[in-house]
Each structure stands twice: as C-alpha cells, then as structure tokens.
Amino acid sequence: GGDTPSSSNVWVKVMGLNDNVEFNNFENIDSKAMTVTAGYNTNKITWADNSVVFGAYAGYIGGKQHYTANDIDQNGGYVGLSSALTLGDAFLTATVNGGLLKNKANNMYGSDRFNTLWLGTGLKAGYNYAITDSVVLQPNVYGGYTLVNTKDYTSVSGVKIATDNLNFFEVDPGLKLSAVIADGWTGSVQGKYAIVMDNGADITANDIALQNISTKNYIEYGIGIDKSVTDAFYLGAKVNRHDGGRTGW
C-alpha cells in the first residue's frame, strides 16, 4: 500500500494477513501470510517547506494457501528501495522491490515444488488538509504494478504445468482522518477501494489451456494508533478489514 515508514532511520514492520480471496472462474482460496520487513532511511534532505528521504529494505514472507483438499506452503524473501517526497502539505512516496517465493503444493498425489519470482513498483500520492490544529484529513491514491513469473514444472502426477507471466495492476483511491489525542498519541481511521486488474498468467497442463482466472475488487478500512515514546523511538499499529473480492483481516 505504499506505506513504508519515512520518519525514522531504522525501522521494523511486522504484518499478518488472513483472507478469503474470491476469483472469477475458480473457487475461493483461504490465504494466510506473514511478513517481517526491516529498513534503513537516510536523514531528511530539506529545502524551504519541502523534504525528501531515501531508503532500502529487506524482508521475509511466509504463507499458506488452501482450497478443497489442496494446500500450498510458501516461503521467500524480498529486497527493495523507497523514497518519500514532501512538498508542503502534499506527498509522494515510491518503491520498487523484487523477491522469490518457494512453493510446496500438497495434493492427493504428493507434493509439487516450484518457484515464483516477482518485480514490482508502487506510487502513493496524497494531500494533508489541516481541519484544526490537531485533526488532519488526507485524500490519497496508490498505484502499483507487479510482474510475476512462475517457473514451469512437472507435477508428481506426471503433468507438465506451464504458466505465462502475470501482469498485475492495482489502483486504490483512499481517505484517512488522523487526530492528535494526548501525550504523544495519534489515532487514525482510513479506508480505500482497491481496483484490481490482471493480465496473463495463462496456464497449460500438458499443452492443454486451462480456464483463465482473475481476482476481484475489494474495500479495505480500519483504525490505527501510534505514539512517539521518545524523540528517537516510535511505535505504531493498524488493524484493517477487507470485504469484497478479499474478505478478512
């Protein structure tokens, strides 16, 4: 979602996902994942009422996908670069990252192993309207593109599975309202509508084309809270809900 932290030199972010994902032309998938990301940012470069920060990060991702009698266990890692530009009350954040997922698909015949590579980029822009000295309204929009490559493999049942590259686009208009509470605490509520567009990833089994599947749009909304514990130490947490093409937390 383009929310890599930009205010600290060193940061760590932990995120868990538990979703039921709805597809066109395929059954729903129960999807669970966890990521742990650590990053480093440069000090702010400032001029007039503007500033820019650059950063780098790396992380681990683990997940499990389940449908009917099938499970896919996933483990992998990723690296990325980020930047955050502030122009007065407006901002633009950007990131690019790439990674590898090692997949183990368990079914009635045994276990199939195959790898997935991805390269993605994202931009998020917004504007902070100060309603009062302590309340800020922020309209924002995120746009992202990811290229996903799943390596061909032969299953334990003897079927050759070949998958074309997947081109995945997403555009998320959103709104966030934040307010200073007291003693360094800030609370927020946010929401967005995720418009999902994918193309490619056509799959063949022994050169027979399978039916194309695609994901659906969804909404996300939730609350957040953060606190400046000291001048150098900051904590934050969010809880979000998905409904629509993704249902879960």
Side-chain angles (χ1 to χ4, degrees):
D3 287 327
T4 52
S6 59
S7 60
S8 304
N9 288 117
V10 178
W11 55 270
V12 176
K13 184 176 181 179
V14 180
M15 181 172 66
L17 294 166
N18 188 349
D19 277 322
N20 183 272
V21 186
E22 186 176 350
F23 292 90
N24 292 310
N25 303 321
F26 196 72
E27 57 191 292
N28 293 2
I29 291 181
D30 180 37
S31 175
K32 294 180 173 62
M34 186 194 75
T35 67
V36 180
T37 315
Y40 176 82
N41 290 333
T42 64
N43 291 326
K44 285 185 178 181
I45 302 169
T46 60
W47 70 98
D49 197 21
N50 312 315
S51 67
V52 65
V53 170
F54 300 98
Y57 57 91
Y60 161 82
I61 182 170
K64 179 183 284 290
Q65 321 298 322
H66 172 77
Y67 61 98
T68 58
N70 301 282
D71 289 289
I72 303 176
D73 296 317
Q74 299 174 309
N75 287 280
Y78 51 92
V79 294
L81 299 172
S82 63
S83 65
L85 174 65
T86 301
L87 299 172
D89 294 322
F91 69 87
L92 175 67
T93 61
T95 188
V96 59
N97 62 48
L100 166 69
L101 272 179
K102 299 182 76 67
N103 306 286
K104 179 184 177 184
N106 306 304
N107 53 62
M108 68 177 70
Y109 301 103
S111 297
D112 297 321
R113 298 177 185 271
F114 56 95
N115 295 333
T116 300
L117 298 165
W118 83 85
L119 180 66
T121 184
L123 293 170
K124 186 173 184 178
Y127 191 90
N128 293 310
Y129 291 98
I131 298 176
T132 69
D133 291 341
S134 59
V135 178
V136 175
L137 179 65
Q138 179 199 105
N140 56 67
V141 62
Y142 165 81
Y145 165 74
T146 307
L147 173 66
V148 183
N149 175 263
T150 298
K151 298 300 181 181
D152 299 347
Y153 68 97
T154 300
S155 71
V156 291
S157 59
V159 178
K160 183 179 179 181
I161 305 296
T163 306
D164 289 343
N165 289 338
L166 169 65
N167 297 279
F168 187 88
F169 301 87
E170 185 174 333
V171 178
D172 304 351
L175 198 63
K176 178 179 179 181
L177 182 68
S178 59
V180 177
I181 302 171
D183 299 325
W185 288 97
T186 300
S188 62
V189 294
Q190 63 272 336
K192 70 177 185 180
Y193 183 72
I195 303 167
V196 180
M197 298 158 283
D198 45 45
N199 183 56
D202 296 323
I203 302 173
T204 60
N206 285 343
D207 297 323
I208 298 173
L210 304 183
Q211 192 170 28
N212 185 266
I213 66 173
S214 59
T215 54
K216 297 183 178 182
N217 300 342
Y218 63 93
I219 59 172
E220 179 179 303
Y221 51 94
I223 59 174
I225 194 166
D226 57 69
K227 178 179 174 60
S228 297
V229 181
T230 68
D231 289 341
F233 190 59
Y234 160 92
L235 289 172
K238 289 182 181 179
V239 177
N240 288 324
R241 169 76 181 176
H242 300 137
D243 283 300
R246 292 171 60 181
T247 304
W249 296 90

